[in-house]
Structures are given as C-alpha cells and as structure tokens.
Amino acid sequence: MKSEVIKFYEDREDVTLTTYVISDSPELLGGNKRPAIIICPGGAYLSCSDREGEAVALRFAAMGYHAFVLVIQLIWEGSLDFLIFKKNWKSMKKAYILHL
C-alpha cells in the first residue's frame, strides 16, 4: 500500500489529502481497476474527527478500495461564510482530479 500526505496549498499545513493506494496485482485484479473513495472526516466544519479518517480509509482498503482522506479548512480558522464552503468544494474537486 502506498500512503502519502499531499498538501493542497503551500501556505496551509492543515488542508491535506492522505492516500491509501493499494498495490495492484494482475493475479488478483485480472486487469480490472479498483474502486476508490474520498473520505471527508466529519465535524460540522468545526473539527475533523480522527475516528472518521484513517480508520475508515483502512476499512475501505481492506475491502479492496483505494481510499483518500481529505482534511478540509475549518470554520474556526475563518469566518462563517460561503467562501469557506466554496474553498472546501474546490479542495474536493482537486482531490478527485489528482487521482483519476
């Protein structure tokens, strides 16, 4: 399994995508692609729950999925407005495009 932490923005340490990519085996997959899932740990934009990140990713990996944990910007670090939600959707889109 390949696991790495990708920082999305140079000036932000907290907006990251952690990958849990399973090594492909022609013997197991027979040329088929694995499914993938992007996990966004919950916390109502006030926190990111550790229980909903790596543990969930590893469970999906055990079922044969490539898993990606996206940690997004929190409201505590800014104001409660539409711009934060828009930035988080941009981060989600970037995570999807990076691993097509």
Side-chain angles (χ1 to χ4, degrees), residues 8 11 22 30 44 46:
F8 272 18
D11 61 336
I22 301 170
L46 301 175

Side-chain angles (χ1 to χ4, degrees), residues 43-58:
Y45 292 100
L46 301 175
S47 68
C48 284
S49 172
D50 290 333
R51 293 176 298 191
E52 297 176 7
E54 184 177 54
V56 174
L58 292 175

Side-chain angles (χ1 to χ4, degrees), residues 22 24 29 33-36 57-67:
I22 301 170
D24 287 331
L29 296 176
K33 293 184 177 183
R34 290 186 183 274
L58 292 175
R59 176 70 79 154
F60 273 100
M63 294 187 292
Y65 286 74
H66 296 305

Side-chain angles (χ1 to χ4, degrees), residues 78-90:
S79 61
L80 179 57
D81 63 23
F82 181 73
L83 292 177
I84 289 174
F85 299 101
K86 189 173 179 181
K87 284 181 187 177
N88 288 332
W89 280 112
K90 283 184 179 180

Side-chain angles (χ1 to χ4, degrees), residues 16-30:
T16 60
L17 180 73
T18 304
T19 67
Y20 300 87
V21 177
I22 301 170
S23 301
D24 287 331
S25 166
E27 181 181 336
L28 295 174
L29 296 176

